């Protein structure tokens, strides 16, 4: 499988190159996208890598709840600065300009500037994600969605994983 080869190469290279591109892995529901990335990241964490794994829809919900709390900036900063960040299930959330521009955009800009590996899983292709992120039907939002997609493209290699639903 190309995905397994890619992940093995990332793992083998990480100790000598901590500024590699991450992976945007899209595909069918229950195909094992999260599982294969987490398996590789688990092995890297055993070697001391600072890895943050976030179920993206839940992150947005919890950040919204903690917006007025003191630790909000610290939480976002910790996510931005992790050696390796994995945003699981991007595109499954309800898109708001705040979530897209202030949270996702800020995180991705920092990680792009610092060349930090970032991983994503989604049931959406990158083109479908762009349409999803521009969902507010405003031309400005289409531009802002494109900006997010360009950051994801700069941060990642894109691969697809399709198989039967392994959750059943």
């Amino acid at each position: 499988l190309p995905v397994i080869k890619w992940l093995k190469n990332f793992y083998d290279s990480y100790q000598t190159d901590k500024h590699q591109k991450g992976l945007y892995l899209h595909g069918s529901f229950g195909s094992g996208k999260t599982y294969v990335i987490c398996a590789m990241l688990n092995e890297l964490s055993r070697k001391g890598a600072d890895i943050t794994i976030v179920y993206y829809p839940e992150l947005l919900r919890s950040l919204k709840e903690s917006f007025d709390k003191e630790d909000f900036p610290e939480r976002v900063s910790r996510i931005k600065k992790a050696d390796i960040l994995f945003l699981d299930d991007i595109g499954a959330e309800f898109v708001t300009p705040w979530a897209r521009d202030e949270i996702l955009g800020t995180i991705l800009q920092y990680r792009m500037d610092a060349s930090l590996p970032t991983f994503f899983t989604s049931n959406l292709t990158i083109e479908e994600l762009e349409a999803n992120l521009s969902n507010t039907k405003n031309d400005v939002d289409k531009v802002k969605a494109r900006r997010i997609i360009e950051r994801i493209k700069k941060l990642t290699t894109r691969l697809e994983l399709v198989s039967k639903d392994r959750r059943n």
Side-chain angles (χ1 to χ4, degrees), residues 28-124:
S28 53
F29 295 99
S31 61
K33 298 177 297 291
T34 301
Y35 181 83
V36 296
I37 290 175
C38 282
M40 187 271 300
L41 294 178
N42 187 42
E43 291 302 313
L44 276 179
S45 73
R46 291 181 188 178
K47 292 187 168 196
D50 170 33
I51 297 168
T52 299
I53 298 172
V54 175
Y55 179 63
Y56 190 65
E58 175 59 23
L59 169 70
L60 294 177
R61 189 197 60 71
S62 71
L63 285 176
K64 241 181 256 175
E65 285 178 1
S66 71
F67 184 70
D68 293 332
K69 296 192 172 86
E70 215 167 274
D71 70 334
F72 179 85
E74 182 187 307
R75 288 182 66 202
V76 174
S77 181
R78 205 172 33 236
I79 291 165
K80 282 192 322 192
K81 295 178 180 179
D83 291 345
I84 298 173
L85 175 62
F86 175 23
L87 296 175
D88 187 29
D89 214 7
I90 192 167
E93 73 285 355
F94 177 74
V95 178
T96 66
W98 174 80
R100 182 194 58 217
D101 305 333
E102 303 303 319
I103 302 303
L104 185 58
T106 302
I107 290 168
L108 297 183
Q109 184 64 47
Y110 181 91
R111 298 192 66 76
M112 193 175 74
D113 291 345
S115 298
L116 293 171
T118 309
F119 289 77
F120 301 86
T121 58
S122 183
N123 297 114
L124 306 175

